[in-house]
Amino acid sequence: MIGRLMTMTAHPGKGDQLAGVLLRVAESLHGFPGCEIYLISQDTADPDTVHVTEVWRDEASAQAALAAPPHADGPDPADVLALLSSSPHRTDLTVLGGVGLPTVGGQP
C-alpha cells in the first residue's frame, strides 16, 4: 500500500470552499478500485489550509484515479486549482497499517 499527504492552501477566506470541493472529490472516489482512504481535513488553526490523506492499494490505483474522467456531477481538477494560493505540497508514504485498513504485508 502507498499513502500520500497533500497539504493545500486556499486563497484567503476560501478554505471552506476548497474543503467542500475536495469532499466532493472524496465522494466521487467512494468505491473506486484501490482507494482505501481519501480523508479531507481542515487545519483548526488556519482554516485556509486543507489536508488530504490518501491510502491506495498500489501506485497503479492512484494513477488510475488521476487519469479517470471527472464524474458528470463531480468537480474538475481545475475547480481545485482555482482555489489554491500556491502549489500543493505532497508527501509520499509507505503505509504500514492502522485502524480501518486491510492487512498490510501480513501484519494485522
Side-chain angles (χ1 to χ4, degrees):
M1 275 191 205
I2 64 160
R4 293 191 179 127
L5 296 176
M6 300 293 294
T7 300
M8 301 178 203
T9 304
H11 292 291
K14 299 288 186 181
D16 287 341
Q17 190 175 351
L18 175 60
V21 170
L22 290 169
L23 285 167
R24 289 177 49 216
V25 171
E27 183 61 32
S28 72
L29 289 171
H30 184 71
F32 194 92
C35 183
E36 303 295 339
I37 294 175
Y38 197 87
L39 175 70
I40 310 305
S41 305
Q42 202 165 9
D43 191 313
T44 303
D46 177 10
D48 289 331
T49 300
V50 179
H51 303 276
V52 180
T53 305
E54 303 176 43
V55 177
W56 296 92
R57 183 178 318 127
D58 50 35
E59 183 64 32
S61 298
Q63 291 304 316
L66 287 172
H71 287 97
D73 60 343
D76 188 273
D79 297 333
V80 173
L81 295 175
L83 294 167
L84 300 181
S85 66
S86 60
S87 296
H89 179 265
R90 174 177 154 175
T91 303
D92 292 319
L93 307 167
T94 300
V95 176
L96 303 176
V99 175
L101 290 173
T103 302
V104 180
Q107 299 296 316

